[in-house]
Each structure stands twice: as structure tokens, then as C-alpha cells.
Amino acid sequence: MEKKEQYIDEIKAIKQMMEQSSRFLSLSGLSGILIGIYALIGAYIANLAFHSGLEITDLIKKMLGLALIVLLISLATVLILTYRKTVSDGYKVWNKGTRLMILNLAVPLITGGVLTTVFLMKGYYGSIAASLLVFYGLALINAAKYTRQEIYYMGLCQIILGIIAAFIPNQSILLWAFGFGFVHILYGTIMHFRYDNNTKTKKV
Amino acid sequence: MKGLIQKLNKAFDNKIRLGIMSAISVNRKASFNELKELMGVTDGNLASHLKKLEELKYITVHKSFFGRKPNTEYEITPKGKEAFEIHIKALEAILKQQ
């Protein structure tokens, strides 16, 4: 029977090495929950501004500022929490998995960012929420191969919400809150309970 | 049962060689430094296991330069891929039987 344990260990070692050499596994679930909450707060403020009777150009400027602040705080949260988790898991922060994940995340994300800026400059305000959600979803699907597979389904959700937003642009804020807020909180919670607590025992 | 154990590849009964093959079979290629980081072993130790796998023609070596820094990369060969797949299949078959 001791033999059997040995073979199971061997299979485990192979699987772990395959994942560790090509995937980034220390995404923090807690950071997903936090950025979801930021997005909901942002959407709430945006909704107040929307009904305050401001002129459209002023309104757009305020919204942009708000979106940028939420984005920066979210990015900082993800970076700090993920960095801490990677270090406490005992992994190197900058390895092949990290590089592959960031590269695959960045290409659709930057494309979406540039395209949305063009929409903004041309005044196609109705397409902004839709294009950001769709490109964010594509970025997640693309990066999922190099991190936890759950990210793939989160990407699908964002794309579907983005397409709905394209059909009903006057509900943009609501769909945005749902995608960047609710979906992040849901996935953050799942990831937190699946991985955040038991990672210590995972490292052999 | 006996037959299955004989199918296990002796070259892979070492943890480091098994680790090298695992990493290199997903990524196709890996550099010396990446492997070292993954495995957490010394240069000499890693080099001797790489040499052994190279002698078996399971991996090939590519040497190049990043500016002045030498960069050694290892790539899995079709023979190596096949041997590794057979080894994993044998492991799985043994576990299923027991």
C-alpha cells in the first residue's frame, strides 16, 4: 500500500509542476470582493450625478474622473493584495506564469481602452459601457489559460452584460454596476473560499 | 500489475527529472534559470539531471545570448514527449487497478 501513496504523490508532483510553471495561481479572492464594492459605490455616485441635471459635457467629465479614481484604487488593491498573497504562498512574484497572464490580459484590455477613448472623443457615449465590459471580458477569457480557470466564466459574464449594454445604453450604469460590481464580488467570494484559506497546505 | 510497473520509465523515478519533464511538457521550452527557480535546486544538481535527459534524447539544448548574457533553453523532443506520456498513462493505470 505504501507504493500506492508514492504513485499518487508522483502524479500530484507532476500536476503541481505543470501548473506552477505556466500559471499564476495566487490571485487574491479578497481583492475581487473589494473592487466589486468600489465599483458599486462608484456606480451609486454616478447615478446621483446622472439625476442632478448637469449638462452632458460636464456630466461626462465628472463620470470620467470618477471612473479613473475607481480604476486606480482597484488596481492598487489588486496589486497589493495579490503581491502579499504570492509572497505568503512562498512563490516568486515575477515568474513565467505572471508574465504570460499579464501579457494576455493586457492586449485586449489596452485595445478596449484605446477604442473606448476614440468613442469618447467622437461623442458615442452610449457605446462606452458596452465596449469596456466586452473588452474586459475578452481580456479575462484570454488570461484564464494562465491563471485559475474560474476567470474564464467571469469573462463570459462580462461579455454578455456588455452586449446587453449595447442594446440598452440608457441602462449603462446599472449594467456596469452589475458587471464590475456584483460579478466581481461573486467571483471574489468563490475564489476566497476555494483558495485563499487553504493555500498554505497546498505548497508541498 | 507487474507488467504495468515495468512500463514506468526509470529515467523519471527521480523527482527533479520528473519536474523538468513536467514543466517542459506544458511550455515546450524553458530556460535553465526558470527551471532552477521552479525546482529550487543548485546549478550543478540541475545540470546533471538535464544532461541525463539530453543523453536519452528526451530534450534538446539551445544556446544563445541576451546581449552578453548566455541563455540556455531546453526543449522537449517528440521522443521525450512520448516517453513522458507513456509514463503518466502507466501511473494512472496502476492507480486505477489498486
Side-chain angles (χ1 to χ4, degrees), chain B residues 5-74:
Chain B
I5 287 179
Q6 271 161 10
K7 271 196 186 163
L8 290 177
N9 195 324
K10 288 248 162 46
F12 303 142
D13 63 10
N14 172 285
K15 260 215 152 130
I16 296 168
R17 286 198 290 272
L18 194 71
I20 294 169
M21 291 304 285
S22 308
I24 226 170
S25 70
V26 214
N27 298 309
R28 202 170 57 84
K29 264 186 188 176
S31 73
F32 189 87
N33 287 331
E34 279 165 4
L35 289 171
K36 197 175 107 182
E37 212 170 86
L38 274 170
M39 240 71 73
V41 291
T42 61
D43 284 23
N45 198 353
L46 181 61
S48 75
H49 290 298
L50 284 165
K51 188 95 210 148
K52 172 115 195 213
L53 290 172
E54 199 191 334
E55 278 163 11
L56 289 163
K57 298 208 162 54
Y58 288 171
I59 61 174
T60 51
V61 189
H62 303 274
K63 289 194 179 175
S64 60
F65 282 88
F66 272 151
R68 266 190 220 161
K69 265 190 174 168
N71 180 44
T72 314
E73 278 195 314
Y74 298 88

Side-chain angles (χ1 to χ4, degrees), chain A residues 126 161-175:
Chain A
L161 289 171
I163 290 172
I164 298 172
F167 277 110
I168 38 173
N170 54 352
Q171 293 297 328
S172 280
I173 295 180
L174 184 69
L175 286 157

